[in-house]
Amino acid sequence: MATVRELKATARPAGGKGAARAVRRTGRVPGVIYGDSKDPVSISLDAAELKQRILAGHFLTTLYDLDVDGTKFRVIPRDFQVDPVRDHAVHVDFMRLGEGATIRVRIPIHVINVEQSPGVKRGGAVNIVTHALDVVCPADQIPAAIEVDVAGLEISHSKHLGDIQLPPSVRPLRTDATLVTIVPPSGYAEEQKAAADAAAAAAAAAAAPAAGAAAPAAGAAPTAGAPAAGAAAGGAAASDKGGGKK
């Protein structure tokens, strides 16, 4: 079951951009709670605390019991906007969760057992192709990460979504995807080609003497027990002369 964290907020009057700017000037961040077929609730949160929660990681996949002036809402953050210059949150949206709610979330990919990959041992590098996966799951069973084990993965080999086991309650929105691959080191292709060329040359050199032995060179000495070609011809001529005498 997913861990539920506590977070405090204060109700604020609904308003436009001017009201939101006034909230920010007090050191707070405007936000809203929506969903579960109920009216939205405008809130504000302490800017420093919100920044700490965001920087801690997994903010958008963490459940919160949001205490708004004593009233608690079970929520999950759905989005936050950041000031492009000062790099801090300027607005945050929370989705209210009903009993047994199922939601769509993006779960980060976490690679494990990198040191056991033979491809990495040979100089390859882990390349995360898919950094996060969109899934549908119960709100109280959101996994912190999807682990991809690369132990035994060779250079130029990959792990796909179909190669890993997801929790039974988690349904990916894609049927298949390349998650991680081991990319070769610099110069690896040239080394492989040079090795293949050397192996081919060695095989050709080994085959050449065998081909020469199969056909004796012209003028080579006859094998033992076989008469020379001249001797055989002379014997045949002598036989013909003897046969002519009566």
Side-chain angles (χ1 to χ4, degrees):
M1 184 173 179
T3 301
V4 181
R5 303 188 182 278
E6 301 283 338
L7 189 60
K8 289 186 177 295
T10 301
R12 65 179 178 90
K17 294 182 178 179
R21 284 195 293 267
V23 169
R24 296 186 191 104
R25 284 195 294 269
T26 66
R28 299 184 67 80
V29 179
V32 64
I33 302 172
Y34 67 90
D36 198 25
S37 302
K38 297 176 182 177
D39 293 334
V41 178
S42 297
I43 60 172
S44 70
L45 303 93
D46 181 74
E49 182 179 9
L50 181 60
K51 181 178 181 180
Q52 183 180 16
R53 298 300 180 98
I54 293 173
L55 293 179
H58 306 292
F59 181 66
L60 296 179
T61 57
T62 301
L63 300 184
Y64 288 95
D65 276 338
L66 190 58
D67 187 334
V68 182
D69 299 330
T71 301
K72 288 192 175 182
F73 299 86
R74 177 64 59 83
V75 299
I76 184 170
R78 296 307 274 170
D79 191 21
F80 61 90
Q81 289 81 49
V82 176
D83 184 284
V85 177
R86 292 182 289 177
D87 197 31
H88 62 251
V90 295
H91 193 275
V92 60
D93 296 337
F94 294 95
M95 186 173 73
R96 185 190 289 112
L97 299 174
E99 187 70 26
T102 298
I103 60 174
R104 172 177 172 170
V105 289
R106 286 178 64 82
I107 307 300
I109 298 295
H110 181 210
V111 180
I112 61 173
N113 293 328
V114 173
E115 66 283 353
Q116 298 180 25
S117 164
V120 172
K121 291 179 181 178
R122 294 170 56 197
V126 175
N127 177 38
I128 301 178
V129 180
T130 304
H131 289 268
L133 197 65
D134 290 316
V135 304
V136 173
C137 65
D140 59 352
Q141 297 181 36
I142 301 173
I146 295 174
E147 293 188 341
V148 181
D149 190 346
V150 297
L153 204 61
E154 268 287 3
I155 288 176
S156 299
H157 289 204
S158 304
K159 275 293 181 75
H160 303 273
L161 180 57
D163 299 327
I164 66 172
Q165 185 70 39
L166 294 174
S169 60
V170 175
R171 178 174 62 85
L173 296 182
R174 298 177 63 178
T175 56
D176 197 15
T178 301
L179 304 179
V180 178
T181 186
I182 304 297
V183 296
S186 176
Y188 178 77
E190 291 77 5
E191 292 178 5
Q192 292 294 98
K193 183 177 183 304
D197 290 345
T223 56
S239 176
D240 288 341
K241 285 183 179 182
K245 294 179 180 179
K246 297 290 183 170

